[in-house]
Amino acid sequence: MSERYNSKSIIGAKSRVRDVSPTSGMCPICIYECRALCEIGKAAFRGREVLYPLPEQYGMSTAASNKYYHMDWSDLQIMTEVRGAMGAESDPDKAIFPSVSIETTVGGVKLKVPVFTAGLGSTDVAKKNWDGIAIGAAITGTMQVIGENVCGMDPTTTFANGTVAHSEDMNYRVETYRRFWDGEHGDIVVQTNVEDQRMGVDVYALSKLEVGIIERKWGQGAKAIGGEVRIYDIDRAKMLKDRGYIVIPDPDEPGVQQAFKEGSLKSFERHSRVGMPTRRSFVEDVEWLREQGARRVFLKTGGYRPAVVAFTLRCASEAKVDLVTFDGSGGGTGMSPVPMMQECATPTIFLEVNVLRCLQIMKKNNMYIPDIAMAGGFTDETQMFKSIALSNFDSEPYVKSIAMARAPIAAVMKASYFTQLAEQHALPLEFAKSYGNTPEKFFSCFIELRERFGSDFRQIPPGAMGLYNYYHEKLGTGLKQLMAGVRKWKLNLINRSDLASLTERASKVTGIPLIEDIDADVMEKILLE
Ligand code: SF4
């Protein structure tokens, strides 16, 4: 069992003994004089709070499922090659790994690396780390999606006739990215959910901020219900209720106000509504967005059941959206219910297989096929390689890019926190001994970025350097190495023949042959002919 029921670090619950009953997760003997706080014990005091990742860490953390889904990207192995060089001259002096091209175009947007940052919206962790997140994406040459509910949560937002007239937070988020955007690689995207649509966030972004790309959202990997955040201020909770959000408990109830005053109630939940998409309304909506000035329209969705994957792609095809991002189950940047993260929806690799099955049918029937991005637990270049290669049956990969959220936030938070520790002369000793005690020394990209940006370099926060190092240096360089290892110098050349399945299950699910069967048909020919 990969995660123990009743004892989960994500909710700060721990059982008294380790040898718990595997089915219930309870201690084999549950005693009166137990001082441990297991999930049941904690729920006895905090009730619904225990559904969520540690509330004490809200705004300073991201959360994910730690359940093992019996297959993941490590069940596929990359098959290396030694003969020739595809996409480059077969010259050992020229076909070297740094010359591999990992550029891609996704939904009509050019990216220097095939990874972009998926919608980060009104959650505190996104807001607090925004400068690093947005500037890091811009200097990497990739895309940043501003997530849902930003205008609705912004206290400075003003409304005219029920729609957004001004939002400082939205303006700031767009401008921060654009300050370092080269105008060619990447772009800023504004995502909208049901609440955002009601408030006219799309029209505001298109007309006032000249944002060219709107992403509609149908759920996400962490949960199939609307976005949720935690509010610690009762006046803010009231403001959000007045703006039409679902706020639990009701901050206008006298009993709730009393509980908040006395301290037994510490926070409020703000929920968004769930969408009810239909094919016709979606197609009309996308047409309407284009009339409002959207150059491109994207769609983000979660790891829904296979029939919904088919429905989503039918809608996306008919509406001719530019990009669909499918987010496999598992992770959340805000306040996703832990049981939903663990137990609901389709894990990423299974989801991609469902998507590919649909796309093959669509191709056979000459239907319009949007670009695809996969998201859901991606953290390294080997997973990126496998996801893109898996999607290439003959000519071009369907998956044009990977989208990430938790991993880039982690890179930004780490870079910011360690810079803060350096200023306080409190860096971990081992770290300081190995890499130095100033940003000039411990950021390997420091000198390069200083030379590249000159006097503007001072405006690049440590978090952005962390993200650039992660996206460009680590993922980008790592991907180039893997591609050179299969002797392919262009991203669109990697395909299913570069992969082997390590297990029967992986082979059955993905259709990639088992490693012991790979090339069996050509070995004799090569040896004897
Ligand atoms: S309350 Fe019972 S099940 Fe929970 S930790 Fe204590 S002994 Fe174990």
Side-chain angles (χ1 to χ4, degrees):
M1 186 159 63
S2 58
E3 51 85 35
R4 302 210 330 242
Y5 293 101
N6 208 24
S7 178
K8 299 190 188 106
S9 59
I10 191 169
I11 55 169
K14 215 170 175 189
S15 55
R16 182 177 56 83
V17 298
R18 285 193 58 78
D19 62 335
V20 293
S21 157
T23 310
S24 67
M26 287 183 74
C27 304
I29 174 161
C30 178
I31 59 173
Y32 179 80
E33 290 184 337
C34 167
R35 286 165 177 264
L37 274 187
C38 61
E39 189 170 353
I40 302 166
K42 199 168 179 192
F45 299 106
R46 303 307 305 165
R48 60 191 295 150
E49 251 177 50
V50 182
L51 291 171
Y52 295 99
L54 280 177
E56 300 81 7
Q57 290 295 332
Y58 176 72
M60 302 294 283
S61 62
T62 65
S65 159
N66 62 347
K67 177 173 173 177
Y68 176 54
Y69 297 110
H70 300 278
M71 197 184 114
D72 58 31
W73 294 109
S74 68
D75 288 80
L76 296 176
Q77 191 77 356
I78 297 168
M79 293 288 92
T80 47
E81 173 61 273
V82 74
R83 300 162 294 179
M86 288 175 74
E89 218 179 302
S90 288
D91 175 345
D93 289 328
K94 291 180 182 157
I96 52 175
F97 88 80
S99 64
V100 167
S101 169
I102 53 168
E103 292 210 356
T104 186
T105 299
V106 58
V109 180
K110 276 201 258 177
L111 310 184
K112 283 190 179 168
V113 287
V115 57
F116 66 89
T117 312
L120 299 177
S122 61
T123 58
D124 281 359
V125 72
K127 187 164 169 53
K128 283 178 190 156
N129 293 287
W130 187 257
D131 286 9
I133 289 166
I135 295 173
I139 64 177
T140 301
T142 192
M143 194 156 64
Q144 173 65 55
V145 183
I146 299 173
E148 60 193 348
N149 294 316
V150 170
C151 295
M153 287 285 287
D154 177 5
T156 73
T157 299
T158 55
F159 296 84
N161 302 321
T163 59
V164 175
H166 179 81
S167 161
E168 273 177 32
D169 194 6
M170 182 61 90
N171 296 12
Y172 181 79
R173 291 194 192 211
V174 172
E175 286 316 311
T176 315
Y177 177 87
R178 282 188 179 149
R179 230 186 299 148
F180 281 88
W181 181 40
D182 69 3
E184 188 189 349
H185 298 94
D187 207 335
I188 192 82
V189 180
V190 170
Q191 181 185 78
T192 53
N193 64 5
V194 178
E195 322 288 341
D196 295 310
Q197 281 180 249
R198 286 184 182 183
M199 288 180 205
V201 171
D202 37 24
V203 176
Y204 176 70
L206 291 167
S207 61
K208 296 277 172 47
L209 307 179
E210 293 176 359
V211 167
I213 310 174
I214 298 294
E215 179 172 86
R216 290 297 197 224
K217 183 174 184 183
W218 295 352
Q220 63 190 49
K223 55 190 179 288
I225 55 176
E228 302 171 82
V229 293
R230 196 165 282 284
I231 308 292
Y232 290 91
D233 176 337
I234 194 163
D235 293 329
R236 193 135 188 256
K238 283 184 191 169
M239 177 197 85
L240 293 170
K241 188 190 162 198
D242 292 344
R243 287 182 180 180
Y245 284 107
I246 300 160
V247 179
I248 301 172
D250 184 347
D252 287 324
E253 283 282 328
V256 169
Q257 290 172 357
Q258 187 65 21
F260 189 78
K261 209 168 149 195
E262 287 172 0
S264 60
L265 175 70
K266 297 192 183 310
S267 60
F268 296 84
E269 298 163 19
R270 186 234 61 201
H271 297 264
S272 309
R273 286 168 181 79
V274 292
M276 306 281 165
T278 66
R279 209 165 90 206
R280 184 153 165 218
S281 64
F282 181 72
V283 172
E284 285 171 3
D285 177 48
V286 173
E287 276 168 15
W288 176 81
L289 277 173
R290 292 213 162 98
E291 283 162 22
Q292 301 306 308
R295 276 184 289 111
R296 306 187 190 289
V297 180
F298 296 172
L299 174 63
K300 165 98 180 283
T301 188
Y304 291 96
R305 58 191 310 137
V308 179
V309 172
F311 169 75
T312 304
L313 283 167
R314 175 78 196 268
C315 294
S317 178
E318 227 163 285
K320 294 200 165 38
V321 305
D322 299 275
L323 168 70
V324 185
T325 300
F326 284 94
D327 189 1
S329 71
T333 54
M335 200 186 80
S336 304
V338 175
M340 292 202 86
M341 289 198 288
Q342 306 274 82
E343 304 296 331
C344 291
T346 314
T348 309
I349 189 164
F350 298 95
L351 179 63
E352 180 168 331
V353 167
N354 290 339
V355 171
L356 297 179
R357 201 175 295 161
C358 291
L359 297 178
Q360 289 290 85
I361 296 168
M362 291 163 72
K363 189 176 178 196
K364 211 183 282 172
N365 288 279
N366 296 318
M367 290 166 71
Y368 167 84
I369 295 179
D371 283 353
I372 303 294
M374 289 305 302
F378 287 93
T379 55
D380 84 10
E381 60 285 352
T382 65
Q383 301 160 332
M384 291 167 63
F385 180 105
K386 291 171 187 177
S387 171
I388 295 170
L390 183 68
S391 78
N392 188 355
F393 290 80
D394 37 36
S395 52
E396 280 275 318
Y398 290 117
V399 175
K400 299 287 196 290
S401 178
I402 300 305
M404 295 187 186
R406 291 189 74 224
I409 291 177
V412 169
M413 290 200 298
K414 184 64 64 192
S416 305
Y417 181 52
F418 271 44
T419 304
Q420 185 191 329
L421 290 179
E423 284 160 9
Q424 296 162 351
H425 306 289
L427 276 172
L429 285 180
E430 269 308 302
F431 178 86
K433 212 166 107 191
S434 302
Y435 308 113
N437 52 11
T438 59
E440 289 90 322
K441 291 182 184 147
F442 56 70
F443 283 116
S444 59
C445 61
F446 193 94
I447 307 290
E448 177 209 329
L449 292 177
R450 191 170 62 188
E451 277 174 19
R452 185 173 146 201
F453 290 101
S455 57
D456 290 337
F457 176 69
R458 274 178 289 128
Q459 292 179 47
I460 297 179
M465 282 193 260
L467 185 54
Y468 173 80
N469 245 357
Y470 174 59
Y471 270 175
H472 175 85
E473 287 294 309
K474 200 273 183 181
L475 298 181
T477 307
L479 186 59
K480 286 182 180 188
Q481 291 173 341
L482 296 172
M483 287 172 58
V486 298
R487 298 290 196 264
K488 293 182 175 171
W489 265 257
K490 297 226 161 27
L491 192 65
N492 63 358
L493 295 173
I494 61 173
N495 61 26
R496 293 167 69 89
S497 73
D498 298 317
L499 302 175
S501 290
L502 292 173
T503 63
E504 300 267 2
R505 180 86 198 272
S507 184
K508 179 172 177 276
V509 171
T510 63
I512 298 292
L514 282 163
I515 194 161
E516 56 266 40
D517 296 333
I518 292 270
D519 289 346
D521 51 338
V522 296
M523 287 164 81
E524 189 174 308
K525 201 168 160 216
I526 291 170
L527 285 166
L528 303 179
E529 280 183 11

